[in-house]
Amino acid sequence: MSPPPVLDICIGYDSHEVVAYHVLCQSIVEHSSRPVRFTPLNLASLKPVFDRAPVGVQSTEFSFSRFLTPYLAGYAGWSLFMDCDMLMRGDVAELFALADEQFAVMVCQHDYAPRDEVKFLDRVQTRYAKKNWSSVMLLNNARCRALTPSYVQTASGLDLHQFRWLADEAEIGALPLEWNWLVGEYDYSPGARLAHFTRGGPYFAGYEDSDYADEWRATLARTAAATGRKT
């Protein structure tokens, strides 16, 4: 099956880390060999279909709205969801090339316990099975029809993040860990294709010296660049 002409990417948008969204987009554009289409999952623009009240344990504004990705794609084709606190270091087209029709969703199947009790902005580091699996999801949208706005509005966090909306766990495919490399949880790897600042991005105090932080700042500089700009 030939790949779609445009790669559909939904990215979590959080008003506390706006810069992260834009730097991630820039890093994707710089490395992609294919056209991409970005959709920011901004709660303000989702209100017509999604207006779920926040809960105490959610660490980002897109903790639940990420599961609207198949709905926003009209339950057609493949879409990629990503947290915003990431830096793309590889070609996202290579990630889409891993899409396998036998699965409803494909994720990096982490098996770890977070090192911290508290992460960025003094938010509690919650622990649960399948932690961080849903931070990068390659979604076979037609097989994710259970994720209606109504369901995402009311389902528990564990039901969503542990993929209980699937009929069978066999519908979850595995992606190589380098496509969701957990910075500070995993040792530095030059082969990481996607660095995930899950404990806190380089834009937060205390995380400025994280692995890949210099690369992130260099991408930030290119994001803000304009030829002939007056400073």
Side-chain angles (χ1 to χ4, degrees):
M1 182 180 65
S2 60
V6 179
L7 306 179
D8 184 51
I9 303 173
C10 286
I11 298 176
Y13 183 91
D14 191 306
S15 60
H16 297 94
E17 41 187 335
V18 171
V19 67
Y21 172 86
H22 295 285
V23 172
L24 174 55
C25 289
Q26 178 69 17
S27 69
I28 293 171
V29 169
E30 288 181 350
H31 290 91
S32 183
S33 61
R34 299 277 305 285
V36 295
R37 178 171 50 232
F38 296 124
T39 300
L41 296 182
N42 176 22
L43 289 182
S45 58
L46 291 172
K47 280 188 176 180
V49 295
F50 181 80
D51 195 19
R52 180 170 179 158
V55 298
V57 296
Q58 77 179 75
S59 59
T60 65
E61 294 174 2
F62 51 85
S63 290
F64 303 122
S65 58
R66 71 187 68 205
F67 296 101
L68 293 174
T69 297
Y71 164 79
L72 295 173
Y75 302 107
W78 285 82
S79 296
L80 177 66
F81 168 80
M82 309 170 65
D83 283 7
C84 66
D85 55 349
M86 297 180 169
L87 181 72
M88 182 62 75
R89 305 177 75 240
D91 184 350
V92 72
E94 296 176 7
L95 177 53
F96 272 87
L98 299 174
D100 187 332
E101 290 291 343
Q102 70 176 302
F103 300 115
V105 59
M106 302 182 71
V107 299
C108 297
Q109 299 185 7
H110 307 284
D111 182 13
Y112 82 109
R115 299 180 184 181
D116 299 330
E117 297 293 332
V118 177
K119 56 182 180 177
F120 60 90
L121 299 181
D122 294 325
R123 290 168 174 167
V124 174
Q125 179 71 275
T126 55
R127 288 170 166 79
Y128 54 89
K130 299 184 177 66
K131 175 76 174 179
N132 255 317
W133 286 27
S134 61
S135 55
V136 172
M137 296 185 289
L138 192 58
L139 295 146
N140 189 354
N141 294 313
R143 295 181 58 178
C144 298
R145 292 182 179 274
L147 294 176
T148 63
S150 176
Y151 179 80
V152 176
Q153 182 85 8
T154 57
S156 73
L158 286 180
D159 281 351
L160 290 166
H161 289 279
Q162 294 185 332
F163 303 92
R164 295 175 185 170
W165 40 273
L166 293 172
D168 193 320
E169 285 206 356
E171 294 184 74
I172 307 173
L175 297 171
L177 288 182
E178 55 260 33
W179 287 107
N180 191 355
W181 198 255
L182 305 180
V183 177
E185 300 290 353
Y186 300 156
D187 293 338
Y188 175 85
S189 170
R193 310 289 275 163
L194 179 63
H196 181 186
F197 300 100
T198 182
R199 298 167 74 184
Y203 39 87
F204 287 134
Y207 301 95
E208 299 93 338
D209 297 326
S210 301
D211 291 342
Y212 314 99
D214 287 344
E215 291 182 36
W216 187 92
R217 282 187 286 269
T219 308
L220 170 62
R222 295 192 297 276
T223 305
T227 301
R229 183 183 64 175
K230 295 182 179 179
T231 58

